Amino acid sequence: MGSIVVDVMLKPEILDPQGQAVGGALPRLGFNGFTDVRQGKRFVLSVDGDVTDEHLAAAREAAEKLLSNPVIEDVVSVHVLDGGSADRAGSESDESTGAGEAEGDAQ
């Protein structure tokens, strides 16, 4: 069984109260040196067998249409979870969808 990971983050210009709360708690708990915290979401999509290019394309489309809110979130990566496919070693690293990059750069 293969797995695809989709990571979604709030756009940089969107207020992140949960990230701010965690950022405020870190030094109180002795974790110093962090300057900012942003919270996001991770989805793990499982498939029968190895992950194929078709699975990755479908995951990217699902990420854009269902798993993220394009008004406030960016899909930051869609990639094969380690071990998902022995013959697709290149897919195990982050493979950005490019979503939101053009918008973020324009603003």
Side-chain angles (χ1 to χ4, degrees):
M1 177 185 304
S3 297
I4 300 169
V5 175
V6 177
D7 291 313
V8 177
M9 293 292 295
L10 288 169
K11 291 185 178 201
E13 63 271 15
I14 301 298
L15 182 65
D16 183 1
Q18 184 176 358
Q20 288 177 336
V22 171
L26 285 170
R28 289 193 303 270
L29 296 172
F31 300 102
N32 298 306
F34 300 105
T35 59
D36 190 34
V37 177
R38 301 288 290 174
Q39 67 91 26
K41 349 183 233 195
R42 171 171 277 201
F43 299 91
V44 178
L45 309 172
S46 298
V47 301
D48 288 330
D50 287 341
V51 175
T52 64
D53 289 335
E54 290 79 18
H55 290 127
L56 281 171
R60 285 187 193 97
E61 186 174 357
E64 296 298 325
K65 291 185 176 181
L66 175 66
L67 304 178
S68 68
N69 177 345
V71 174
I72 63 169
E73 295 173 319
D74 288 326
V75 177
V76 294
S77 72
V78 175
H79 63 274
V80 176
L81 189 64
D82 289 341
S85 175
D87 61 346
R88 295 185 42 77
S91 294
E92 292 178 11
S93 62
D94 281 355
E95 189 171 313
S96 176
T97 64
E101 291 176 5
E103 271 184 9
D105 291 341
Q107 293 176 355

